[in-house]
C-alpha cells in the first residue's frame, strides 16, 4: 500500500486550496489511522448528503491533462500505462514547472527505507513463499508476473527514446535509460521501479469520466477502505466528450454530427445541389448555436459562481456522505466488495475478517483424483458434461426460488404499504456482477471453494456427492445405459437434486478429510519465511490473508461435523 507522510498533509491541503477547491477542513482532520498510514476523521458531527470534497476536474491529475497528453494520444497510449508514464514524466522531467508537482511528489512508491512497493507477482522468491497454496496462488495465479505490465514497460522505454530523438524531450533516466554495460541488472531495476509506480497509482486512482479515465484526486485518496460500511460515495459525470472532456455539446460532437449528416447524404436521393447545401448549412448553424448557448450558460454560471471557485457541477468531482458521521469517527470510502486476494494484488493491503474471502479447493480435489483411479470416469463426465448441466439446473432452480421470494415480498409490501425502491436494482446489480464473474471463470476447478461463512460452494457439494456415489447410484444417473460413451449419455435430470445435497454423510466425510489435509503456509514467528526480500508489510498482509483462509477452513469443519 502506498504511503503519504504526515509532513505531506499541509502541502496537499495547500495544493487543493490553490486550485480553488472545496475541502471541509474545518469539519475533517487528516491524521494517523489505526489501520496504518493516514486517514480522514470527523472533527464534528457531519450530516448525510454533505460534500466533504469538491474539486474541479482541471485540478485532478490524469494522462489526458498531463504535460505529455498529446504525445500519449498520438501514440495511442491510454489506460493505466498512460497514467503511469504521465506521472513519471511529471515528477522527473517537468517537476516544478508542473501544476501538479506539489501534489504528485507526496505519492511515494517506496517505503522510508527506499524499498519499492511491489505487487506479490514481483515479490522475491522468499516473499512468494508466504502465499504459496493460498487462493491467491492456486485460483488466481497471482504470483506469476504479468506479461502485460512488462510489455508496457518496454513500450514506455521505446517511446521515451523516440521522443528524445524526435523532439529533444528528456528521457526519465531513473526509469527508462537502460545501461548497456550491465543491461540485465539495470533492466530489472528500472522495470521494478516502473512496476512500483504502476502498483502505487493503481491503489490511488479513481475512475473519473470517458476523457480522464483513471486519475489521481488529491485528498480523496487518503480515505481508507471499508467494504461493508463505507461512509462516502464518489460522484463524477462520466458521460463527457472523450476528446476534450466537455459535458454536453462541443466542437467534436458538432464535427461528428456534421460528418454523419454528410455520410447520410450519400445515400439520400439528390433533389438539387442548392437544397442539399441549405440542409448542411441549417445543420451547421443549429449545432453552432447550441454550442454558443452552452458556452453562454457556462459563462453565466462562472460569473454567478461562489467565491470558493466551484462553478459548473458537471465539471467537478465530489465526495459526498452517504450517512451521518459522529465526531472523532474515521470516514471511510469503499473500493468495492473485494476479497483480500484482490485487495492485495491491486491495492497493496488486506483487512482482517474480510467477508469476501474464500478458500479454493481445486488442487485439493485434483490430489484426490490423482490418487484414486476409481474416480476417473466420473470426473471425465463432470468436466465435459456434468458441471455445465448442474450449473444450468442450479441457476434455474435458484431463479425460481428468487422469483417466489420476490412475489412474496411484493405481496407483503403491498399489504404493509411499505416500499424500498433500491431493492430491485440492488438485486439486479448483484446478480449481474455474479454473472460476469462466473463468465470469467473458465475452469470447473475454479468453482470448487468454501465461502467466508464456511459453506462449500454448490459445485463443491456436487462433486463431493458425485465422487461418493456407489456404482449402482452412478448407473441410475443415466437414462441410457450401455454402449454409449459416458460423455454422450443422457443425464436423468430428476437425479440432479441429489448433487445439491448438503447432508450426505459420505460427502461430508470426504470434504472433512480434504480440509484437514489441505496445506497452507504457517506464518508464525518461528516458521514464517524471512530473510532477503521479505518486508514487514509483506509479512503482515500475508498473515492476514492466510489467517482468513485458516479461519474459513475451521468454520467449514465445524459445519461438517
Amino acid at each position: 500500500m502506498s504511503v503519504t507522510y504526515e509532513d505531506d498533509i499541509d502541502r496537499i491541503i495547500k495544493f487543493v486550496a490553490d486550485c480553488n477547491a472545496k475541502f471541509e477542513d474545518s469539519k475533517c482532520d487528516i491524521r494517523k489511522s489505526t489501520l496504518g498510514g493516514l486517514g480522514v476523521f470527523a472533527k464534528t458531527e457531519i450530516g448525510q448528503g454533505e460534500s466533504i470534497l469538491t474539486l474541479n476536474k482541471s485540478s485532478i491529475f490524469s494522462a489526458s491533462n498531463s504535460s505529455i497528453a498529446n504525445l500519449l494520444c498520438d501514440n495511442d497510449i491510454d489506460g493505466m500505462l498512460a497514467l503511469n508514464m504521465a506521472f513519471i514524466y511529471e515528477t522527473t522531467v517537468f517537476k516544478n514547472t508542473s501544476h501538479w508537482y506539489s501534489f504528485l511528489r507526496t505519492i511515494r512508491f517506496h517505503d522510508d527505507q527506499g524499498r519499492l512497493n511491489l505487487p506479490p507477482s514481483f515479490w522475491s522468491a522468499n516473499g512468494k513463499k508466504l502465499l504459496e497454496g493460498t487462493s491467491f496462488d492456486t485460483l488466481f495465479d497471482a504470483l506469476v508476473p504479468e506479461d502485460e505490465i512488462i510489455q508496457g514497460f518496454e513500450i514506455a522505454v521505446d517511446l521515451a527514446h523516440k521522443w528524445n530523438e524526435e523532439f529533444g524531450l528528456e528521457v526519465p533516466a531513473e526509469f527508462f535509460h537502460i545501461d548497456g554495460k550491465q543491461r540485465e541488472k539495470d533492466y530489472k531495476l528500472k522495470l521494478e521501479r516502473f512496476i512500483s509506480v504502476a502498483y502505487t497509482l493503481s491503489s490511488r486512482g479513481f475512475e473519473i469520466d470517458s476523457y480522464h479515465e483513471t486519475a489521481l484526486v488529491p485528498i480523496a485518496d487518503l480515505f481508507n477502505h471499508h467494504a461493508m460500511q463505507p461512509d462516502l460515495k464518489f460522484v463524477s459525470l462520466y458521460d463527457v466528450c472523450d476528446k476534450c472532456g466537455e459535458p454536453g455539446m462541443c466542437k467534436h460532437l458538432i464535427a461528428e454530427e456534421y460528418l454523419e449528416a454528410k455520410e447520410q447524404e450519400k445515400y439520400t436521393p439528390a433533389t438539387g445541389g442548392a437544397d442539399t447545401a441549405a440542409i448542411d448549412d441549417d445543420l451547421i448553424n443549429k449545432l453552432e448555436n447550441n454550442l454558443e448557448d452552452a458556452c453562454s450558460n457556462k459563462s453565466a454560471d462562472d460569473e454567478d459562481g461562489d467565491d470558493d471557485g466551484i462553478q459548473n457541477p458537471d465539471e467537478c468531482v465530489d465526495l459526498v456522505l452517504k450517512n451521518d458521521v459522529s465526531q472523532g469517527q474515521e470516514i471511510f470510502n469503499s473500493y468495492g466488495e473485494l476479497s483480500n486476494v484482490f485487495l492485495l494484488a491491486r491495492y497493496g493491503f488486506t483487512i482482517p475478517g474480510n467477508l469476501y474471502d474464500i478458500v479454493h479447493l481445486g488442487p485439493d480435489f485434483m490430489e484426490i483424483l490423482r490418487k484414486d483411479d476409481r474416480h476417473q470416469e466420473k470426473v471425465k463426465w463432470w468436466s465435459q458434461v456434468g458441471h455445465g448441466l448442474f450449473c444450468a439446473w442450479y441457476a434455474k432452480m435458484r431463479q425460481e426460488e428468487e422469483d417466489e421470494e420476490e412475489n412474496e415480498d411484493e405481496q407483503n409490501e403491498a399489504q404493509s404499504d411499505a416500499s424500498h425502491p433500491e431493492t430491485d436494482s440492488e438485486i439486479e446489480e448483484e446478480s449481474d456482477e455474479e454473472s460476469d464473474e462466473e463468465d470469467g471463470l473458465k475452469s470447473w476447478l475454479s468453482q470448487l471453494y468454501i465461502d467466508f461463512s464456511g459453506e462449500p460452494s454448490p459445485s463443491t457439494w456436487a462433486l463431493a456427492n458425485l465422487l461418493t456415489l456407489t456404482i449402482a447410484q452412478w448407473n441410475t444417473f443415466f437414462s441410457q445405459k450401455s454402449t454409449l460413451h459416458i460423455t454422450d449419455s443422457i443425464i436423468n435430470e430428476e437425479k440432479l437434486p441429489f448433487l445439491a445435497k448438503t447432508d450426505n454423510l459420505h460427502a461430508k466425510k470426504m470434504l472433512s478429510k480434504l480440509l484437514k489435509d489441505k496445506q497452507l503456509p504457517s506464518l508464525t514467528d518461528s516458521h514464517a519465511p524471512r530473510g532477503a526480500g521479505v518486508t514487514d508489510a509483506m509479512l503482515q498482509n500475508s498473515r492476514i490473508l492466510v489467517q482468513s483462509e485458516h479461519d474459513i477452513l475451521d468454520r467449514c469443519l465445524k459445519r461438517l461435523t
Side-chain angles (χ1 to χ4, degrees), residues 163-181:
W163 295 341
N164 175 257
E165 293 173 4
E166 294 182 355
F167 313 114
L169 181 61
E170 179 184 340
V171 174
E174 62 187 280
F175 289 94
F176 300 143
H177 177 72
I178 312 297
D179 187 345
K181 294 181 180 179

Side-chain angles (χ1 to χ4, degrees), residues 18-86:
D18 290 344
C19 293
N20 292 322
K22 177 184 176 185
F23 172 56
E24 295 291 354
D25 54 348
S26 62
K27 298 180 180 180
C28 298
D29 185 28
I30 302 173
R31 52 185 168 86
K32 282 188 175 180
S33 169
T34 56
L35 300 176
L38 300 178
V40 182
F41 297 79
K43 288 183 178 178
T44 182
E45 292 186 0
I46 313 177
Q48 175 184 356
E50 286 198 45
S51 177
I52 299 290
L53 174 70
T54 302
L55 275 165
N56 289 313
K57 289 183 178 179
S58 59
S59 303
I60 66 176
F61 178 75
S62 71
S64 298
N65 63 10
S66 69
S67 301
I68 60 169
N70 290 341
L71 294 175
L72 293 169
C73 182
D74 291 345
N75 289 275
D76 296 323
I77 305 297
D78 56 11
M80 287 304 300
L81 175 57
L83 181 63
N84 208 28
M85 293 184 66

